């Protein structure tokens, strides 16, 4: 069963209200018609609250209540958005307590979303323009009123209203999505950039600005602003890497130094990916910048400590070596080289078992225990070499930890 269209007809003349009803029926439009005789009655039926000054009082209010073309009432209720129970409203331009223009404005100021079609006995073009600007969907001169005209205006207004409603809700969803996206961007600990290539504009989140120590106004909104703060030794390579990703789709994963406002450089890594159209042309390029300065400084400090430690081991006057979990050399003393007649300057990364394939199995078992945390000390031991010779040793092994 086809659903009836819910219509509100606002006119103080019963004959005119009946004419609208009959015209729609004659056009074959299934309608459910409600009626209002003035502005206050119309606003009440359109769900504006009963406390509204435009609703209180008799159907013929005094001059302080009357709506006029040049007047807009301010009321807290008008700032709210109401769901309307009607699909369309036909309203007469001349009403006992106001005119159609003021009623259209009141309805729109109240946030009521419904098609409004104004019927008038006047053919004034300026009135028509003012009504459309105020939010009317259509304007029909009563002298040209017919079932076809009324039906066509109704369906056009409802179609436009439906399209606007869909666009409105789509916009709302987009705004909600963008707000969630913005909250995510501002909540992460990485700097984030989003480059609109068509406009050559870049969005930087607050964290990225914090990394370089500048305000949004100081930094600007172009990629050139980032290029200008790259270390001179890194700039060309980064520009090439971005170009290679945009034009050749090569992965963008780089490391560089950024100039902080204090004058020092921050070590950063960056990854990004371009968004492309159906032809493969890049339209946007977005990614993250992570500040790894503290990690880099810690790695450098650890590297210096290890270098110092290796230097100490190199110079100790005893045969000493340090191994990793795979029994590959990390460091060794010069005495170790001379004691075992080794001609290499360093054994770093070489396998102890490949260097000494005749290592006794019992020693391998002991070494594994040391790797598991045990300290082993042997006061006297004999190593039978592959050439038949025997080395007599006193040795000890200790685990070491990162």
């Amino acid at each position: 069963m086809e659903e009836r269209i819910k219509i509100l007809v606002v006119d103080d003349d019963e004959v005119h209200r009946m004419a609208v009803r009959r015209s729609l029926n004659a056009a074959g439009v299934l309608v459910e018609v409600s009626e209002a005789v003035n502005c206050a009655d119309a606003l009440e039926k359109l769900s504006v609250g009963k406390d509204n000054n435009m609703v209180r009082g008799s159907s013929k209010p005094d001059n302080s209540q009357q709506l006029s073309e040049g007047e807009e009432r301010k009321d807290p209720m008008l700032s709210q958005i109401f769901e309307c129970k009607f699909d369309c409203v036909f309203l007469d331009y001349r009403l006992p307590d106001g005119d159609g223009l003021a009623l259209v404005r009141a309805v729109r100021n109240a946030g009521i979303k419904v098609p409004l079609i104004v019927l008038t006995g006047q053919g004034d073009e300026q009135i028509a323009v003012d009504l459309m600007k105020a939010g009317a969907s259509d304007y029909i001169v009563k002298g040209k009123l017919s079932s076809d005209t009324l039906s066509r205006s109704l369906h056009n207004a409802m179609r436009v209203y439906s399209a606007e409603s869909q666009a409105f809700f789509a916009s709302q969803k987009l705004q909600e999505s963008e707000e969630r996206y913005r909250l995510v961007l501002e909540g992460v600990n990485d700097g984030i950039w989003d480059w609109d290539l068509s406009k050559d504009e870049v969005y930087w989140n607050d964290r990225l600005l914090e990394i370089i120590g500048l305000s949004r106004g100081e930094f600007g909104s172009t990629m050139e602003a980032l290029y200008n703060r790259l270390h001179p030794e890194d700039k060309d390579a980064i520009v090439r890497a971005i170009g290679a990703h945009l034009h050749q789709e090569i992965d963008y994963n780089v490391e560089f130094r950024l100039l902080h406002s204090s004058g020092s450089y921050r070590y950063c890594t960056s990854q990004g990916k371009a968004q492309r159209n159906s032809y493969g042309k890049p339209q946007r390029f977005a990614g993250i910048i992570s500040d790894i300065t503290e990690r880099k400084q810690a790695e450098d400090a650890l590297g210096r400590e290890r270098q110092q430690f290796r230097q100490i081991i190199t110079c100790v006057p005893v045969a000493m070596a340090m191994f990793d979990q795979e029994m590959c050399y990390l460091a060794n003393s010069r005495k170790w080289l001379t004691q075992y007649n080794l001609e290499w300057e360093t054994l770093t990364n070489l396998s102890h078992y490949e260097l000494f394939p005749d290592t006794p199995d019992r020693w391998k078992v002991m070494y594994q225990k040391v790797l598991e945390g045990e300290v082993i000390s042997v006061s006297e031991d004999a190593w039978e070499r592959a050439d038949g010779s025997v080395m007599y040793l006193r040795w000890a092994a200790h685990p070491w930890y990162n």
Side-chain angles (χ1 to χ4, degrees), residues 76-132:
M77 295 297 294
L78 297 183
S79 65
Q80 303 179 39
I81 293 180
F82 299 87
E83 291 186 2
C84 185
K85 56 188 176 184
F86 297 103
D87 298 310
C88 187
V89 177
F90 289 94
L91 59 99
D92 187 20
Y93 183 77
R94 295 298 180 187
L95 294 166
D97 57 349
D99 57 40
L101 179 57
L103 181 55
V104 169
R105 286 173 173 167
V107 170
R108 293 310 183 214
N109 287 343
I112 302 172
K113 305 298 183 182
V114 63
L116 301 173
I117 299 174
V118 181
L119 308 176
T120 179
Q122 306 175 21
D124 191 322
E125 292 185 1
Q126 185 57 49
I127 292 178
V129 171
D130 292 341
L131 285 168
M132 301 302 285

Side-chain angles (χ1 to χ4, degrees), residues 284-305:
R284 307 184 78 91
F285 186 27
I288 64 172
I289 293 179
S290 304
D291 186 350
I292 61 167
T293 303
E294 292 184 2
R295 189 186 82 190
K296 194 76 173 179
Q297 291 173 342
E299 289 175 352
D300 291 345
L302 181 60
R304 289 192 297 271
E305 290 177 1

